[in-house]
């Protein structure tokens, strides 16, 4: 009978929680004042198990961190809330060894909303915008999470810290993390170097192309200037030749005009009645244009008078 009553109670609580969840979901924008309560620390053989209650939705992803800077100790455990927001971590230990005796800091956080399931996001809002209360922490990149911090968590064990360097497992873990980071950085460096080489090659090609284009432009400009100067020189020479020809033609015309005028003047002053007078004057024969020439003396009309 007790067994059946227990099952009945569980069903009633489950239905109540489901009804509450459905009502909150229907409300859509209902704020959720986050709470983390009844946090219990169970220490056994120097190893710690943390459990507690929240009012967060079922399957909310939590990150539980235990740290002690003096011991150079830091361990993280991811858990999901169960029904009614309950959670429980696995054991915190130093590898397979017990933790050192001392005071530790316990931090319980929700993962960012982007890493939560869709059902949880509906309850806490996009980027945790529906979360309220004293435990809310704003993230640098935007959004909100729930953060519960408890300092001075006392852990007693047989292991006593003697001021030595961090334990081997922590050193190995840090070394492995650093090696992964180094490999990642080397990969990024190689990729950046590859990109830089390509950019430099492209830039050099562009500069060479621009240089050749400029040289071709200058060569074409020089050719055009040379052609223009040659054309100008030829034009000047032709103009000078034309001017000289014109000058000579003008001089010749003036000379011809003067000779004609002189011939006309001489022909008018000298007169021979016949060829006998021409011969007597010793002027025979007389060509046309010479003093004393006349058509009357040029019987055959060949331009030469008194030639027979």
């Amino acid at each position: 009978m007790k067994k059946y009553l227990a099952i009945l109670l569980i069903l009633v609580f489950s239905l109540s929680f489901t009804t509450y969840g459905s009502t909150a979901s229907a409300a859509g924008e209902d704020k959720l004042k986050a709470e983390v309560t009844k946090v219990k620390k169970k220490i056994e053989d120097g190893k710690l198990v943390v459990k507690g209650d929240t009012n967060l939705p079922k399957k909310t992803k939590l990150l539980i961190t235990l740290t002690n800077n003096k011991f150079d100790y830091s361990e993280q455990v991811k858990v999901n809330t169960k029904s009614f927001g309950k959670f429980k971590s696995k054991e915190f230990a130093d590898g397979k060894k017990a933790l050192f005796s001392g005071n530790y800091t316990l931090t319980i956080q929700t993962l960012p909303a982007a890493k939560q399931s869709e059902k949880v996001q509906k309850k806490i809002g996009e980027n945790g915008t529906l979360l309220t209360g004293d435990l809310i922490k704003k993230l640098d990149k935007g959004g909100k999470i729930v953060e519960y911090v408890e300092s001075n968590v006392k852990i007693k064990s047989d292991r006593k810290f003697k001021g030595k360097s961090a334990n081997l497992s922590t050193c190995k873990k840090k070394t492995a993390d650093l090696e992964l980071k180094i490999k990642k950085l080397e990969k990024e460096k190689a990729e950046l170097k590859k990109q830089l080489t390509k950019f430099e090659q492209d830039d050099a090609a562009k500069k060479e192309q621009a240089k050749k284009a400029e040289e071709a432009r200058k060569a074409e400009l020089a050719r055009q200037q040379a052609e223009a100067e040659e054309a100008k020189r030829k034009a000047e020479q032709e103009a000078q030749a034309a001017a000289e020809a014109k000058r000579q033609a003008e001089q010749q015309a003036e000379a011809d005009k003067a000779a004609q005028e002189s011939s006309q003047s001489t022909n008018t002053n000298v007169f021979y009645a016949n060829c006998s007078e021409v011969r007597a004057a010793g002027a025979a024969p007389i060509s046309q244009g010479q003093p004393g020439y006349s058509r009357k003396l040029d019987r055959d009309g060949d331009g030469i008078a008194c030639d027979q």
Side-chain angles (χ1 to χ4, degrees):
M1 178 65 73
K2 290 182 179 179
K3 181 178 179 181
Y4 291 117
L5 286 173
I7 293 173
L8 182 60
L9 287 171
I10 290 173
L11 289 172
V12 170
F13 280 121
S14 299
L15 289 171
S16 299
F17 183 76
T18 304
T19 303
Y20 168 77
S22 299
T23 303
S25 177
E29 295 297 325
D30 288 348
K31 299 293 184 179
L32 175 61
K33 185 176 181 180
E35 296 179 357
V36 178
T37 60
K38 298 181 181 180
V39 178
K40 295 181 180 179
K41 286 80 68 180
K42 182 181 178 181
I43 303 171
E44 188 173 336
D45 297 329
K47 298 178 181 179
L48 173 68
V49 174
V50 181
K51 63 180 181 178
D53 295 346
T54 72
N55 63 340
L56 298 170
K58 184 179 179 180
K59 293 187 178 181
T60 299
K61 296 177 182 179
L62 302 178
L63 180 66
I64 304 175
T65 307
L66 186 68
T67 58
N68 184 303
N69 293 331
K70 180 181 178 181
F71 307 151
D72 194 21
Y73 176 84
S74 178
E75 188 71 21
Q76 293 182 327
V77 175
K78 291 182 180 180
V79 299
N80 291 342
T81 57
K82 306 297 182 183
S83 298
F84 308 107
K86 294 182 178 295
F87 66 89
K88 182 179 179 180
S89 74
K90 70 175 186 178
E91 284 185 341
F92 283 94
D94 189 8
K96 293 184 179 181
K97 297 180 181 180
L99 298 169
F100 286 112
S101 290
N103 294 331
Y104 290 73
T105 299
L106 176 67
T107 305
I108 303 171
Q109 295 175 318
T110 57
L111 294 182
K115 296 184 178 181
Q116 303 288 353
S117 66
E118 291 184 6
K119 289 184 178 180
V120 174
Q121 287 186 38
K122 288 181 180 179
K123 299 290 181 64
I124 67 175
E126 184 178 359
N127 293 327
T129 51
L130 298 180
L131 294 172
T132 62
D134 297 333
L135 300 180
I136 302 306
K137 177 183 178 181
K138 292 183 179 180
L139 300 176
D140 294 337
K141 294 181 179 180
K144 296 186 291 185
I145 62 171
V146 179
E147 182 178 77
Y148 169 91
V149 180
E150 185 176 343
S151 303
N152 298 321
V153 176
K154 294 182 179 181
I155 295 178
K156 294 182 180 181
S157 74
D158 294 335
R159 293 188 69 200
K160 307 297 180 183
F161 185 72
K162 297 180 180 180
K164 296 182 180 179
S165 60
N167 59 71
L168 181 60
S169 62
T170 303
C171 289
K172 286 183 177 180
K173 185 176 182 299
K174 287 190 173 182
T175 302
D177 291 341
L178 288 173
E179 287 177 350
L180 286 175
K181 289 181 180 178
I182 289 171
K183 287 181 180 179
K184 185 178 179 181
L185 289 172
E186 286 178 346
K187 185 177 180 181
E188 291 179 357
K189 178 183 177 182
E191 184 64 26
L192 289 172
K193 190 174 181 180
K194 184 178 178 181
Q195 292 179 6
L196 178 62
T197 301
K198 187 177 182 304
F199 288 149
E200 288 176 344
Q201 291 175 347
D202 292 344
D203 186 58
K206 288 180 180 179
K207 287 182 178 179
E208 183 64 21
Q209 186 177 4
K211 181 180 178 182
K212 289 182 178 180
E214 180 64 16
E215 289 176 351
R217 187 189 68 80
K218 289 182 177 179
E220 178 62 19
L221 181 62
R223 185 188 66 79
Q224 292 177 357
Q225 289 178 343
E227 289 181 352
E229 290 176 357
E230 180 65 17
K232 181 180 179 182
R233 185 183 65 79
K234 287 182 178 180
E236 290 175 349
Q237 287 179 346
E238 291 174 355
Q240 290 176 356
E244 179 64 19
K246 181 180 179 182
R247 184 186 64 78
Q248 291 178 0
E250 290 176 349
Q251 288 181 347
Q252 184 63 39
E254 290 178 358
D256 292 345
K257 182 179 179 182
Q260 185 178 4
E261 290 177 352
S262 174
S263 176
Q264 290 177 353
S265 176
T266 303
N267 290 341
T268 304
N269 295 331
V270 178
F271 175 77
Y272 297 105
N274 51 49
C275 286
S276 296
E277 291 182 1
V278 174
R279 291 187 184 95
I286 305 172
S287 298
Q288 185 176 3
Q290 289 182 339
Y293 175 85
S294 67
R295 290 289 297 172
K296 184 177 76 169
L297 301 176
D298 186 6
R299 294 180 180 180
D300 55 6
D302 62 355
I304 301 174
C306 301
D307 56 341
Q308 293 181 357

